[in-house]
Amino acid sequence: MRALRLTAWQSEPVLAEVEEPVPGPGQVVVRVGGAGACHSDLHLMHDFRPGMLPWGPPFTLGHENAGWVHAVGAGVSGLDVGMPVAVYGPWGCGNCARCVLGAENYCENTAAAPVPGGGGGLGLDGGMAELMLVPHARHLVPLPGGLDPVVAAPLTDAGLTPYHAVRRSWSKLPPGSTAVVIGVGGLGHLAVQILRATTAARVIAVDTRPEALSLATGLGADLAVPAQESAAGEIRAFTGGRGADVVLDCVGSDATLTLGAACGRPLGDLTIVGLGGGTLPVSFFALPYEMSVQTTYWGSRPELAEVLDLAARGLLHTTTTTFPLAEAADAYRQLAEGKLTGRAVVTPATP
Ligand code: FEH
Ligand code: ZN
Ligand code: ZN
């Protein structure tokens, strides 16, 4: 079968012929209906250097995946061939205090994790191939309510990551509060909907691209603000001078972090979700009083089940552009050029 492979750091991926995976005991092979093209993959291709992460190439790209059970190994029960499933992406040891709660994104037993902090498409073979080996059945979440794998795939990362970020700030988002989403791409367009579906906050979307701002208002944002110098002032004016209670920075550049700090409210949260590589100087007067600044990495498996439930109920819609596997490189090109609306999803297999 063909697979889109990253063969070295700082290189373009190649479409290569690889062996079809066969499940060992406890393992499952998934026929991949959708594999999302994540902005992080561009960092894997262009920015990371040998030694920066505890794992590395070669591996097949694609860390947000959904499809159908294709084959199960000995001892796997409850998963039948043909069943639609989402793949929980971060694969930990399965046994440490974090993993037993389903938070394998923060596995503490890195020596026992197959790829510390990684998973399929991040150190091990991912979903940009017709078949994907999932090393343990616990990583699969059955798709509820007839969800299409093309729609579900982005929910496993572009949905789960902002869902986790919003969920941990729920207590700061009562009626009367305001949340800001900076960057309305794959993650941001889902962040807007997650805020709408799970909180009473007013939602402000910020982006440089007019089409991304229209997408945000179409999805329920109360205000769309062009990312320019006046943005912090516009947000402050909209909040009656108070500032935003929660800012989700889905970009993470110097400029967006500066904006996040400038438009935040004392006691608020600024959560860095995007891998833009920016930094934010922290000192006594640099931030609103008691603003918490935090990063997040992905989310837990129970949270993925919650995201899928929101989508199955029609409360979350993934805006997607699909690409056949042969055109996956084009998906990444369009992503890098900022030409995509929503998420690019590669579709290696059909039902
Ligand atoms: C991937 C690789 C490294 C950091 C973060 C990511 C995310 O896309 C996973 O959510
Ligand atoms: Zn990702
Ligand atoms: Zn663990």
Side-chain angles (χ1 to χ4, degrees):
M1 67 174 188
R2 286 167 320 153
L4 188 74
R5 311 264 300 160
L6 188 71
T7 56
W9 291 124
Q10 298 186 310
S11 72
E12 293 304 316
V14 291
L15 209 47
E17 198 60 36
V18 298
E19 295 272 312
E20 289 194 3
V22 176
Q27 301 182 333
V28 181
V29 169
V30 170
R31 201 170 147 75
V32 183
C38 178
H39 220 276
S40 307
D41 293 331
L42 297 177
H43 294 296
L44 299 183
M45 293 169 203
H46 304 139
D47 302 326
F48 291 129
R49 287 186 302 280
M52 281 174 77
L53 291 173
W55 42 262
F59 57 87
T60 299
L61 286 167
H63 59 267
E64 50 175 50
N65 305 297
W68 305 270
V69 173
H70 175 75
V72 296
V76 173
S77 58
L79 291 170
D80 301 324
V81 171
M83 187 185 269
V85 285
V87 183
Y88 176 65
W91 297 341
C93 74
N95 296 311
C96 73
R98 302 293 187 217
C99 283
V100 293
L101 295 177
E104 301 203 22
N105 49 329
Y106 298 138
C107 173
E108 291 177 321
N109 190 355
T110 48
V115 275
L122 298 173
L124 294 175
D125 289 342
M128 296 228 177
E130 196 174 331
L131 301 173
M132 173 182 181
L133 179 67
V134 177
H136 199 288
R138 75 174 185 277
H139 301 313
L140 297 178
V141 180
L143 289 186
L147 268 190
D148 178 353
V150 172
V151 165
L155 297 174
T156 65
D157 179 18
L160 176 58
T161 300
Y163 180 75
H164 173 71
V166 170
R167 199 182 200 287
R168 72 195 298 284
S169 290
W170 270 352
S171 64
K172 297 189 180 181
L173 295 168
S177 64
T178 304
V180 172
V181 176
I182 304 178
V184 189
L187 277 74
H189 90 286
L190 288 163
V192 168
Q193 297 175 72
I194 290 162
L195 284 159
R196 296 273 307 173
T198 69
T199 79
R202 288 174 181 77
V203 180
I204 302 176
V206 180
D207 204 293
T208 49
R209 300 162 300 155
E211 58 280 12
L213 294 175
S214 319
L215 175 64
T217 34
L219 293 171
D222 298 273
L223 180 70
V225 174
Q228 56 196 22
E229 246 174 63
S230 56
E234 275 188 60
I235 293 166
R236 209 154 271 291
F238 184 81
T239 57
R242 291 186 293 272
D245 297 82
V246 172
V247 180
L248 301 181
D249 184 353
C250 297
V251 179
S253 66
D254 283 346
T256 58
L257 290 170
T258 301
L259 171 61
C263 72
R265 183 179 186 183
L267 297 168
D269 281 345
L270 167 56
T271 304
I272 306 170
V273 182
L275 287 184
T279 53
L280 179 69
V282 174
S283 63
F284 199 89
F285 294 113
L287 298 173
Y289 289 125
E290 288 197 41
M291 174 187 256
S292 301
V293 180
Q294 56 250 308
T295 56
T296 56
Y297 179 64
W298 234 324
S300 71
R301 191 173 47 245
E303 287 171 335
L304 175 57
E306 292 174 11
V307 172
L308 294 172
D309 185 61
L310 286 176
R313 291 185 56 208
L315 296 171
L316 277 188
H317 296 275
T318 31
T319 300
T320 58
T321 309
T322 56
F323 295 82
L325 182 59
E327 289 166 26
D330 194 36
Y332 283 115
R333 201 169 308 119
Q334 290 193 32
L335 177 64
E337 290 169 1
K339 288 192 175 150
L340 289 166
T341 304
R343 199 58 145 184
V345 180
V346 174
T347 56
T350 44

